[in-house]
Each structure stands twice: as structure tokens, then as C-alpha cells.
Amino acid sequence: MRSPVLPLTWHLARSSGRRGLQSQLLAAGAAAVGAFVLLVMIAACAGSGTRADRTAWRSPEPARDGTAVQALATTYVRHEPLTVVSLAQLPGRPPTPAPPGLAAFPRQGEMYVSPALAKLLDRLPARQLADRFPRVREYGTIGAAGLASPDELVAVVGRDPADPALSEAAADSASWFDEDQAARAVVAGFSSGKVSLFTAPDRTMALLGVVLLGMPVMVLAAAAGRLGAARREQRLAALRLAGATPRQILAMTALEAAAVGAAGALTGALAYLALLPVLARVPYGIGSWYTAELWVGLPWLAAVVAAVTVLITVSSVSMLRQVATSPLGVAQQADPRRTRWIRAAVFVAAMACVFRSTGGGELKTRQLLGLLVLFYGAFWLFGPWVVDRLGRIVGRFARRPATLLAARRLSDDPRGAWRTVSGLVLAGFAAGFFSVSQIGADAAQYRDQVAVITESGAQARHTAAEARAALARSGVTATVTVAGEDEFGNLLAGSPGLIVRISGGSGGTERLDTAVTALTPLAGVHAPYTRDYATAYERASIDRIGEVSTATLALSFLVATASAGLTAAANVLDRRRVYGLLRLAGTPLRVLDRARARETVLPLVVLAGGTTAMGVYGSYQLNKAVGATIDATGALQLAACVVVGALAMVAAIGAGRPLLRRVTADPARTTD
């Protein structure tokens, strides 16, 4: 006998009317947003690994039977890192293969530059940048295979094996700031090496973003699965009372939810494909992306579509537990939803485990991500309990009808209110903490300084006169002092050499670049460096954390805005009978609308706003303890993100006002 599930599901879907179609479209839209966000984060994670691998060839890997000498150096222009790779073919050795992105191994006197560096060389005066390199007739171009980003500044210089830049002294770390920014070795090729300092933390930080955004996307999928839940429960409860089996009820719901979820997820995947060129322009770390780096591949695309579809289906089916076991209770709308103290106890135990684990020393990436998941899971259990208590407290002290109605709804359905704002809780804490942090990378005392390392103090005194003359010829006003090996409070950090302090005039960045260029011929094997060089190691990680935290907060607001809009629309459709009864009782429409908005605003301000403020306060206290200051730029970005996100949330909630007006236009019919 043919199963009636499929034709009955199709019949009920077609006969659900305009409101049923609206719920299905909203659910599909939520699935599209969830799939799109997941694909973007996976693309950022995979692309970060790809771009890091493309930088590994620059760090020289010693070979027993080497054929060429390679040296890595780092300089800065406009406060951006410029990677310089010097190469020389050893005489009497087999030819060395070409580095990635180059058509051939560079001969002496040849120079290859990245497209971004070529544009900068044309735009800046030679005394600010070009004079740091050997003079050549024309520059070759480094292809995408040798670059991590279209915006990356890289130069490959062909030199003589006896050139000072390739001497063994270049391999000696003259300063502790040289870590991962300078190296030298005899190599046989470019198939392996250590990834660049400026791309190494990208993948880990992208994984952090995936973890932070995983829960908001799950919440959005759950909200999509619960759209029209009350109407569906009433309809299926009637079928259950009429003789339908629990298996048939679950199958009908799963089929409908899977169809809607798959359609929405496919739409989100298509949007991701269409917007790949736009997404590639979004800067992360060292710059924008190559479009191919952000392509996740068909397996990941299919996996995300399937995952979002399954999440929506499971969410829809999980709502029917009471329909299958107690259809009469559903028909009478008897559904008390309370939270218990065990949630608070589990939260305290989980927090104790997290603090105990993080206080024992350095943790691996997997351990940190695991603790982060535990932290989020603890908040997921604790959140509804807080919302429940918040509703009871607000209801006890409420003085306005709208506030009283909102408080009653919070205590009646704390899980539903928590789902709307849960995605912002952990993201808000992380963004608040990391976006304003400047731990370990302030170095304000090194501002407008250039350090030149010499072999000895005697050479430093001799070089000081040449440095003053070179700076005068370049038009830079500066004070040149000689530092000894026992002085550790300056930019040389104990190495012998010169400290150049630039002063006077405007255009500090231009004067700094001009000074570095003028001092480069005097520096020998170690290029002059500035505060950017000294703080590169800390900033490489801290800046990525700040970028990921701010981006995660922005995307969390996007997902939360979609969740809030969907939840607001679904609540209006599901509660139209309650709204109709309140309208018949004389409740003004504006009171109902205010109560509906406050259901979201109250937990949003208390929970998400509270965790963001906790993150900022924690960062302030930690910065204060180490003598650092709050990052003003990060604080402004955080404030702008919070303001724009809050306005978007309010707008999403307000979008349900016309729907509320429409469903209560005829309250007598609505309550029928």
C-alpha cells in the first residue's frame, strides 16, 4: 500500500495559505544566510592555509648539497612589511630551480617584485623606497604562485655570492627582533620552508572565528526550523487526534523542513559563488585574497548545504515531541517551559574547569578550541536560566503594560528568547577583549626611531658621522646617538649600533621611510629597522585576533539580526490568537508592538551587552597591569560595530510591525 505521507505533506504545504508560504520563505532565507556565513568562514580558514603555504619558500631551508645561497630580510614601508629575498647561484653547482612565481632563477643584477610593490615603487619617490634596492633597468614580476595576497610587498633580488647581504653574518641573529624576519642558508630548491611570520597565525585565528560563529549559525538554523511551529503543532495535533501515527507526523514534518532547508541552503551556496570576487577584496592579515584561495571546493559546498538542511530538519522534528506524545495538550496550548537550578550548577562547574585548565601553562590550539567550545556550551545551558530569572525580576518591578507583557513572555519561553541573542554572547566577549587590547606591542618609546646595527661600538662611532651626512642629504632632521652593548632600554636591545631619532616637520611616515632608505647603504648585512620591525612578532598574532574578533562580532550581528527578524515574524504568526484576544480586551496595538520589541531588547542588553562590557573591562585591567593602553582604533571599531549591529537588530524587530498590524486587523476572526 502506498504511503500517504508524501501526498498529504504536499497537500498541506499547498493549502497552508499566504501565512504558510511566508513562514516557508522566511525559513529558506534563514537557511541561505546560515549556509552563506558558514561557507565564508570555511573559505577564510582554507584560504589562510593556502596563502601561508605560498610563503614557505622564502624562508631558506638548509640543504646538504646546496646549489644556491638564499637570505631573507624584512623592511617596512608605510608601516607595511616588505619581504626581501636575496638569491645567488653558487658557481660549479647544478642550476637551481626557479622560486614559485618566477619564470627563472634570478641572475645577478635582476630583480623581481610583486605587483603591489611595483605600484608602490612607481608612486613613491626613490629616496623613500627604490634606493634601498640595487638599480636595475626594469623589474620582473612575481606571479600569484609566489604570493599570499595581491597586496603583499615582496622583492626577489639576484646577487653575487660574495655580496654582504648573503654572507654568513646575515644568518647570525644580531637582535632578538630578528626572529622569523631574517635568515640565511645554502639551499637546493624551494619546496619546503617555514611559513612567513605574517601568515602563520591566520589559519588558527580563522578557526577561532569558525568556532565563535558556529553557535550563532546553529541558532539561526534552529530558528528557521521553528518558524510557524505553533501553527504546525496545532495542525499536526489535529491529524494526530484524527488517527495519524507519530511516525507519519514526524515524517511529514521532516519532509517539509528538509525541502525548505535544502532550497534555502542551495540559495546561500549560490550567493557565496556569485560573491566570491567581492569577498576576495575583503582584507585579512597581509591584505586581500586571490579569488581561487576562497573557493572551498564541491565537497565542502555539498557538506555545508547538507549540514544546514539537517539542522533545520532536526530543529523542526524536535518541536513535535509533545505533539506525538500529548496531542491534546498541544491543542489546548498547555506548554509550560521552565528552567531549573541545575543549569546554574553546570555553568559554575564548567567555568571552574575552564579557569583551572587555562591557569596551568601554555595550551595547544586544539585544547584552546576545546575549552572555547566548553565555554560556549556552558553559556548555552546557563543563558535560558538567566533569561527566565530576568523575566521574573522585570515582571515584578514592571510599571508599564508593555514591559509586563514582555517580562511574562520571557519567563514563559526563556529558551526562545535566549536563542535570539545567544550568538552575540561569546562573540561580544571576545570582540570586547581583543579589539581594544595592546598587550606586548605598544612600544611607544620607539616611535620615530631607526636602529642601525654595527659589528662593534667602534664601527658605530665611525658610522654615526656618515649617518648624519646621509640624513642631511635626504632632508631629514634627526639626532644620531651611539648605543653600547650594555644598553637594553632602546630599539637596539643590547646590540651595538646607532639610534636615529627623527624630529621636526609633518609627514612622519614619509620622513621615517626616507631615513630608513638613506641609512640602508650604511647598515651592512643587517638592514635598518623601526618600531614596526620590533613589534612584528606580537602584532602578527594580536592584530589577527582583533580582526577576527571584530569580524566575528559583525557577522554575529548579521546572523543575530536575521534570527531576530525571523523570530519576530514567526512569533507574530504563531501568537496571532493571543494577540487577537488582547486586542479584543482593549490592548492598544502600540503596547503589543512595544512588548514584542522588549522581548528581544531586554536579554540583548543584559546578556550580549554585559559580556561585551566584561570583555572590554578585562582587557583594560590586563593592559593596565602590563603598562599598556587601550587601543583607540580598536575601541572605535568595536563601538561602531555595536551601534550598527544594535540598530540592525532594532530594524529587524521593527520589520514585523506591519505583520502584527495585519494579523490583528480583524481580532474577532483571528481568535476564531
Side-chain angles (χ1 to χ4, degrees), residues 293-306:
E293 293 174 343
L294 294 180
W295 168 237
V296 298
L298 288 177
W300 273 111
L301 199 72
V304 168
V305 171

Side-chain angles (χ1 to χ4, degrees), residues 463-487:
T463 307
E466 297 179 348
R468 294 186 184 97
L471 292 170
R473 287 193 300 268
S474 300
V476 177
T477 303
T479 302
V480 180
T481 57
V482 177
E485 298 184 13
D486 56 345
E487 298 180 23

Side-chain angles (χ1 to χ4, degrees), residues 361-386:
E362 186 176 354
L363 299 175
K364 297 181 179 179
T365 302
R366 292 184 179 179
Q367 294 173 320
L368 288 174
L369 293 177
L371 290 176
L372 192 60
V373 172
L374 177 62
F375 186 59
Y376 215 156
F379 265 103
W380 181 258
L381 285 175
F382 187 56
W385 185 85
V386 176

Side-chain angles (χ1 to χ4, degrees), residues 309-398:
T309 303
V310 169
L311 282 173
I312 292 179
T313 304
V314 171
S315 176
S316 299
V317 171
S318 65
M319 294 293 293
L320 300 179
R321 180 176 57 185
Q322 193 173 4
V323 174
T325 58
S326 180
L328 186 59
V330 172
Q332 294 176 346
Q333 297 185 351
D335 185 23
R337 300 176 180 179
R338 298 176 181 175
T339 58
R340 300 182 178 180
W341 283 91
I342 188 64
R343 292 176 176 266
V346 172
F347 174 78
V348 172
M351 290 299 99
C353 179
V354 170
F355 287 121
R356 183 177 180 180
S357 300
T358 54
E362 186 176 354
L363 299 175
K364 297 181 179 179
T365 302
R366 292 184 179 179
Q367 294 173 320
L368 288 174
L369 293 177
L371 290 176
L372 192 60
V373 172
L374 177 62
F375 186 59
Y376 215 156
F379 265 103
W380 181 258
L381 285 175
F382 187 56
W385 185 85
V386 176
V387 173
D388 190 0
R389 269 61 189 177
L390 175 65
R392 297 181 186 184
I393 293 173
V394 172
R396 181 176 300 176
F397 297 99

Side-chain angles (χ1 to χ4, degrees), residues 56 127 239 568 601:
R127 60 189 179 88
L239 290 174
V601 172

Side-chain angles (χ1 to χ4, degrees), residues 157-409:
V157 183
R159 301 182 185 271
D160 185 89
D163 192 290
L166 294 172
S167 64
E168 293 186 3
D172 297 332
S173 181
S175 170
W176 61 25
F177 302 134
D178 292 341
E179 185 175 3
D180 296 333
Q181 297 189 85
R184 183 263 188 195
V186 177
V187 301
F190 307 94
S191 59
S192 62
K194 187 177 181 180
V195 299
S196 170
L197 165 69
F198 308 105
T199 58
D202 290 0
R203 184 179 178 86
T204 302
M205 295 303 105
L207 279 173
L208 173 65
V210 170
V211 173
L212 290 174
L213 276 173
M215 192 61 71
V217 172
M218 292 180 62
V219 170
L220 180 61
R226 288 172 171 81
L227 279 172
R231 294 183 69 252
R232 189 186 301 123
E233 285 181 348
Q234 292 291 319
R235 183 181 63 188
L236 296 179
L239 290 174
R240 180 78 175 90
L241 291 172
T245 65
R247 180 177 298 179
Q248 290 173 333
I249 295 296
L250 295 177
M252 291 170 58
T253 303
L255 282 173
E256 181 181 355
V260 173
L266 283 173
T267 303
L270 293 175
Y272 156 76
L273 289 173
L275 293 175
L276 268 179
V278 179
L279 294 172
R281 298 179 183 177
V282 179
Y284 173 58
I286 58 175
S288 58
W289 306 77
Y290 290 106
T291 304
E293 293 174 343
L294 294 180
W295 168 237
V296 298
L298 288 177
W300 273 111
L301 199 72
V304 168
V305 171
V308 173
T309 303
V310 169
L311 282 173
I312 292 179
T313 304
V314 171
S315 176
S316 299
V317 171
S318 65
M319 294 293 293
L320 300 179
R321 180 176 57 185
Q322 193 173 4
V323 174
T325 58
S326 180
L328 186 59
V330 172
Q332 294 176 346
Q333 297 185 351
D335 185 23
R337 300 176 180 179
R338 298 176 181 175
T339 58
R340 300 182 178 180
W341 283 91
I342 188 64
R343 292 176 176 266
V346 172
F347 174 78
V348 172
M351 290 299 99
C353 179
V354 170
F355 287 121
R356 183 177 180 180
S357 300
T358 54
E362 186 176 354
L363 299 175
K364 297 181 179 179
T365 302
R366 292 184 179 179
Q367 294 173 320
L368 288 174
L369 293 177
L371 290 176
L372 192 60
V373 172
L374 177 62
F375 186 59
Y376 215 156
F379 265 103
W380 181 258
L381 285 175
F382 187 56
W385 185 85
V386 176
V387 173
D388 190 0
R389 269 61 189 177
L390 175 65
R392 297 181 186 184
I393 293 173
V394 172
R396 181 176 300 176
F397 297 99
R399 294 295 180 266
R400 296 181 180 276
T403 306
L404 183 60
L405 288 173
R408 180 58 187 269
R409 287 303 309 169

Side-chain angles (χ1 to χ4, degrees), residues 348-603:
V348 172
M351 290 299 99
C353 179
V354 170
F355 287 121
R356 183 177 180 180
S357 300
T358 54
E362 186 176 354
L363 299 175
K364 297 181 179 179
T365 302
R366 292 184 179 179
Q367 294 173 320
L368 288 174
L369 293 177
L371 290 176
L372 192 60
V373 172
L374 177 62
F375 186 59
Y376 215 156
F379 265 103
W380 181 258
L381 285 175
F382 187 56
W385 185 85
V386 176
V387 173
D388 190 0
R389 269 61 189 177
L390 175 65
R392 297 181 186 184
I393 293 173
V394 172
R396 181 176 300 176
F397 297 99
R399 294 295 180 266
R400 296 181 180 276
T403 306
L404 183 60
L405 288 173
R408 180 58 187 269
R409 287 303 309 169
L410 290 177
S411 58
D412 284 348
D413 187 15
R415 298 176 183 86
W418 162 250
R419 293 186 200 104
T420 305
V421 300
S422 60
L424 296 173
V425 172
L426 187 58
F429 179 83
F433 184 87
F434 292 114
S435 61
V436 299
S437 177
Q438 284 198 156
I439 300 174
D442 183 25
Q445 69 272 24
Y446 302 149
R447 187 186 303 274
D448 294 332
Q449 292 186 19
V450 181
V452 180
I453 296 177
T454 59
E455 294 182 1
S456 62
Q459 184 182 0
R461 288 187 290 273
H462 174 73
T463 307
E466 297 179 348
R468 294 186 184 97
L471 292 170
R473 287 193 300 268
S474 300
V476 177
T477 303
T479 302
V480 180
T481 57
V482 177
E485 298 184 13
D486 56 345
E487 298 180 23
F488 292 90
N490 53 40
L491 195 56
L492 288 169
S495 299
L498 309 176
I499 294 294
V500 178
R501 294 177 174 84
I502 302 170
S503 61
S506 59
T509 302
E510 290 79 4
R511 289 184 288 111
L512 194 65
D513 290 338
T514 302
V516 171
T517 305
L519 295 170
T520 296
L522 310 177
V525 298
H526 301 288
Y529 61 89
T530 61
R531 180 180 65 166
D532 296 318
Y533 191 93
T535 59
Y537 194 82
E538 291 88 353
R539 290 253 63 99
S541 298
I542 295 174
D543 286 350
R544 299 303 184 275
I545 293 176
E547 291 174 3
V548 168
S549 300
T550 304
T552 300
L553 184 62
L555 288 175
S556 296
F557 266 118
L558 172 64
V559 175
T561 298
S563 299
L566 291 170
T567 304
N571 288 341
V572 171
L573 295 174
D574 291 343
R575 301 175 190 170
R576 64 186 185 280
R577 185 172 182 272
V578 176
Y579 286 139
L581 291 172
L582 289 172
R583 292 286 285 125
L584 287 174
T587 306
L589 183 63
R590 65 177 181 274
V591 173
L592 297 179
D593 186 53
R594 291 173 182 173
R596 185 179 60 86
R598 290 173 188 177
E599 289 179 36
T600 303
V601 172
L602 284 174

